[in-house]
Amino acid sequence: MIDQRAIEERLARGHNATIGLRYAAHGGDWAELVLDYDIGLTADWDEGILASGPIITMMDLATSFAVWIRKGDFTNQATLDLRVDYMRPALPRQPVFGRGECYRLTRSIAFVRGVAHQGDVADPVAHVAGTFMFLDGATL
């Protein structure tokens, strides 16, 4: 079973910890993470707008957690495709929430979707859709 503690342990490692990703919530097939505003993650220091890279990283991880939560185990998987459609720039000095959902599992593929927003899902920063392929080998 994957619970809040297990998610937070993985967020405390490597790249996730470096950009400051935090746990927000999860359900049976979804996970929501938070990317706090950090001037070091901006694309333009004068404008203060977050770069796309940290948002893409958050959405890749939020949808990955959604798959692992739905499967009930941290299995090895690779991102085959993650389409990100930006709707608007993230507003400066505000956190970005990333919610990922796993809406279908097959024997070898997981299908995911998600939204990045700043508190209002009806005014998204970005939408994502993608697929993950399960790999043989030990669990993570």
Side-chain angles (χ1 to χ4, degrees):
M1 178 177 152
I2 296 175
D3 58 13
Q4 179 178 345
R5 183 190 55 77
I7 295 170
E8 288 176 336
E9 283 177 3
R10 278 152 180 86
L11 290 174
R13 300 177 185 172
H15 185 68
N16 306 325
T18 299
I19 65 172
L21 287 176
R22 294 187 294 112
Y23 170 88
H26 77 280
D29 62 357
W30 60 272
E32 187 166 280
L33 305 178
V34 180
L35 177 63
D36 290 319
Y37 184 79
D38 181 338
I39 191 74
L41 300 177
T42 60
D44 180 337
W45 288 9
D46 294 332
E47 296 286 329
I49 296 173
L50 280 176
S52 60
I55 295 171
I56 294 169
T57 297
M58 176 176 63
M59 295 312 298
D60 188 30
L61 193 58
T63 52
S64 291
F65 275 122
V67 173
W68 289 321
I69 291 167
R70 183 162 171 167
K71 290 188 74 176
D73 197 6
F74 287 106
T75 55
N76 288 322
Q77 63 191 34
T79 307
L80 287 182
D81 175 51
L82 187 66
R83 177 186 166 130
V84 180
D85 293 325
Y86 278 93
M87 304 290 112
R88 64 172 177 84
L91 299 174
R93 290 167 288 286
Q94 295 183 23
V96 179
F97 300 86
R99 184 177 177 129
E101 174 193 8
C102 175
Y103 65 92
R104 178 167 167 74
L105 284 177
T106 69
R107 186 175 52 83
S108 58
I109 303 290
F111 296 86
V112 298
R113 58 187 163 214
V115 62
H117 63 91
Q118 292 185 289
D120 181 1
V121 177
D123 185 24
V125 172
H127 288 277
V128 301
T131 53
F132 291 89
M133 180 176 74
F134 303 121
L135 306 172
D136 293 334
T139 58
L140 301 175

